[in-house]
Amino acid sequence: MSGGLVVSVRVAILGGGPAGLGLARQILARDDAGEMEVEVFEANAEVGGLAASFALEGVVFDHGSHRLHPSIDPEILKVLNELLPGVLHRRPRHGRIVLGGRFIRFPLRPVDAALKLPWRIKCGLLRDMLVRPSRYDTDSFAATLEGQLGVTLCREFYFPMARKLWGREPIEIAAEQARRRVSVRSPWQIIRRMTRQLWNRGRAGASFYYPDGGFGRIAEALAKDFERRGGRLSVSSPVTGLQHRDPGWQIETGEGRHEFDRVFSTIPISRLVGLMEPVPPTEVAAATSALHSRAAVLVCVVLDSARWTPFDAHYVPDSAVGLSRTSEPTHYAAARSHSDRTGVCIEVPCDPGDATWQMSDDELVNQVGREVTRIGLPPLKPIRAAEVRRVPWVYPVYDHGYDKHLATVRSYLDQWPGLVTLGRQGLFAHDNTHHALAMAFAAADCLGSDGSWDAAGWAAANDRFADHVVED
């Protein structure tokens, strides 16, 4: 590091997404960071991970629909605003859900829902509000949600969407997935949220923060400030081996072996276990193999049109099509670089190696083109350019027994001194970016300038993380 300081603590961070870069930046932003050396290893050529952005024909795309939720910790938001002055804007949400073959505004609005929902859904919702079970089973995603919300919303939206996102029948999914992924607990809570919009259009769920130039600007700003403070960012540097060499760690990459005192990992937990040397015990390897994540194919098209629809996103539970969501990122930002074209990202959940994953790019573009018109959206044309991205780790699957498998893996990793996992992938968690940043800032607070670790503080932070619920 600069200034001729003697390095006393060397820290490695695996993964250059928001969690890894947020942690790296916060370590070096502290007043007592003078004798700490921090290096981030990112496998890709650009930072950001799932939260990265890329340009196609001058249109910026994200890897799916990404937003920064307004419930973000104010101190973290303050840091981001300092790093992105005049760039991070609060924007209104303006999406739609396909329910019963009709487009309904999302977030839900009372008048729109009353006028557009099919009568069978409205009658079903009324019945579910008036006839609530006094007790219900909580042994699965299906039983929990039906008990809380009633059968109508479950069968029209949550269950078909669950089949798409996680590739399982709702009864095969653990109840914890309902708690972590569905923020409402009753039909009346939905009604209250809808009603509040009549006089409070700026409420948290109806808006989001988004930076001009794409969601990836957040990770890029963290990376830039990290490097400005003396940190080392190694992109295109996948880690190929990880070995505990008392009292520290040895990391192997294509450039050789590197020695560190502490390692923080934000990469997928199953990949981390696969890097460990010596090979983990059989029961740990088996538990790791039993943890499943769903993948997604992202079909990104640039249209020679100022806009595709007036809406920023569409949520599609319809089982007749494979796509789950569309987003038009040019509607997310407050400013746009081109007025004569727009971009559309179509997300198709799948499994690595399945039929969807193996389709050619042209086949995928043609398939989603047919699907969007089938559900009543405008044709994807005229197409100026298209790019398909295949993302292997997107949705953690909480099937029955996942908690025991995860506990086995976590117990194995926790036994190693100086190794900490965090972030969505590192904790096998359903989290938003503001949750990942909260983990990063908490981890930085637990790391002493002498390399010591506040285990009790981190345990308390993990208890808070367990209460995170995804904000859609």
Side-chain angles (χ1 to χ4, degrees):
M1 296 181 66
S2 60
L5 295 174
V6 177
V7 175
S8 62
V9 181
R10 301 195 71 216
V11 176
I13 298 174
L14 312 188
L21 292 170
L23 170 60
R25 186 267 176 193
Q26 284 302 108
I27 292 174
L28 295 187
R30 56 200 298 168
D31 293 335
D32 57 356
E35 296 185 359
M36 302 187 76
E37 181 177 297
V38 183
E39 183 168 358
V40 175
F41 295 92
E42 169 54 46
N44 295 318
E46 67 283 332
V47 298
L50 285 176
S53 298
F54 62 97
L56 180 63
E57 290 290 325
V59 176
V60 176
F61 287 89
D62 303 322
H63 287 79
S65 178
H66 287 278
R67 304 176 176 94
L68 190 63
H69 199 270
S71 61
I72 183 173
D73 185 292
E75 290 302 314
I76 300 177
L77 181 60
K78 179 182 178 182
V79 169
L80 296 182
N81 276 318
E82 290 172 351
L83 299 180
L84 293 165
V87 173
L88 191 62
H89 305 282
R90 190 158 183 168
R91 303 282 291 155
R93 295 191 68 172
H94 193 53
R96 295 192 297 184
I97 299 176
V98 181
L99 282 177
R102 300 183 184 181
F103 291 104
I104 312 298
R105 294 288 294 275
F106 186 78
L108 297 174
R109 300 183 180 182
V111 175
D112 182 77
L115 292 175
K116 294 181 180 178
L117 279 173
W119 274 104
R120 63 179 177 81
I121 295 181
K122 285 187 283 193
C123 291
L125 291 173
L126 180 61
R127 181 191 64 242
D128 293 340
M129 286 189 290
L130 297 177
V131 183
R132 299 293 310 286
S134 57
R135 298 181 62 184
Y136 53 87
D137 292 333
T138 57
D139 58 351
S140 70
F141 179 89
T144 299
L145 281 191
E146 280 199 345
Q148 291 176 344
L149 302 178
V151 298
T152 305
L153 273 178
C154 289
R155 295 177 183 178
E156 294 290 340
F157 180 75
Y158 288 107
F159 289 179
M161 189 63 89
R163 294 184 185 100
K164 283 189 179 185
L165 297 185
W166 304 309
R168 306 284 192 279
E169 285 298 316
I171 199 172
E172 298 174 333
I173 303 171
E176 180 68 4
Q177 195 122 337
R179 190 188 71 79
R180 298 295 294 265
R181 287 289 310 200
V182 183
S183 60
V184 291
R185 298 290 181 261
S186 74
W188 289 107
Q189 188 176 355
I190 297 174
I191 296 297
R192 286 195 296 271
R193 288 189 178 186
M194 293 168 59
T195 304
R196 281 201 299 267
Q197 291 201 52
L198 294 175
W199 63 82
N200 186 11
R201 293 295 180 91
R203 69 180 183 86
S207 64
F208 59 92
Y209 289 102
Y210 192 86
D212 291 334
F215 198 77
R217 290 287 300 277
I218 294 175
E220 292 165 6
L222 290 168
K224 182 178 180 180
D225 196 59
F226 165 64
E227 291 187 293
R228 181 183 68 81
R229 294 176 183 275
R232 181 178 179 182
L233 176 60
S234 297
V235 296
S236 301
S237 297
V239 173
T240 56
L242 180 63
Q243 185 175 9
H244 183 247
R245 303 287 292 270
D246 193 43
W249 289 85
Q250 184 180 87
I251 290 176
E252 187 170 351
T253 69
E255 296 180 352
R257 296 176 178 176
H258 318 263
E259 303 292 333
F260 293 92
D261 300 296
R262 284 196 167 275
V263 174
F264 292 88
S265 176
T266 70
I267 65 176
I269 193 170
S270 55
R271 173 154 173 72
L272 174 65
V273 172
L275 295 175
M276 300 288 287
E277 301 173 11
V279 175
T282 302
E283 62 272 18
V284 175
T288 303
S289 298
L291 295 176
H292 302 114
S293 290
R294 283 276 276 176
V297 170
L298 308 178
V299 181
C300 303
V301 297
V302 177
L303 305 180
D304 277 323
S305 175
R307 73 179 188 185
W308 182 50
T309 77
F311 301 94
D312 54 27
H314 291 87
Y315 300 83
V316 187
D318 191 338
S319 59
V321 296
L323 69 90
S324 62
R325 180 168 59 183
T326 73
S327 55
E328 194 167 352
T330 45
H331 290 322
Y332 285 23
R336 56 188 297 177
S337 56
H338 297 278
S339 60
D340 63 338
R341 69 197 72 165
T342 190
V344 182
C345 178
I346 298 99
E347 302 170 42
V348 186
C350 60
D351 288 310
D354 70 8
T356 298
W357 184 270
Q358 295 186 42
M359 291 175 70
S360 71
D361 291 0
D362 287 343
E363 288 173 329
L364 285 164
V365 171
N366 291 332
Q367 174 177 294
V368 299
R370 292 189 297 269
E371 290 186 350
V372 295
T373 57
R374 182 172 183 175
I375 60 176
L377 289 169
L380 292 172
K381 59 184 182 182
I383 294 180
R384 174 188 288 249
E387 181 172 334
V388 174
R389 296 207 168 192
R390 294 166 176 82
V391 187
W393 283 289
V394 180
Y395 304 110
V397 179
Y398 287 3
D399 43 19
H400 293 296
Y402 91 93
D403 50 343
K404 294 181 180 179
H405 300 311
L406 182 57
T408 297
V409 175
R410 291 287 300 274
S411 178
Y412 168 74
L413 294 174
D414 288 346
Q415 73 175 322
W416 295 105
L419 175 64
V420 175
T421 60
L422 70 151
R424 173 176 175 161
Q425 304 283 11
L427 295 181
F428 196 69
H430 293 274
D431 283 319
N432 301 107
T433 298
H434 67 286
H435 294 142
L437 290 170
M439 295 181 200
F441 279 54
D445 289 341
C446 290
L447 179 64
S449 60
D450 59 353
S452 60
W453 181 247
D454 181 1
W458 184 241
N462 272 271
D463 288 341
R464 296 194 301 273
F465 304 157
D467 290 332
H468 287 169
V469 177
V470 170
E471 304 282 357
D472 287 320

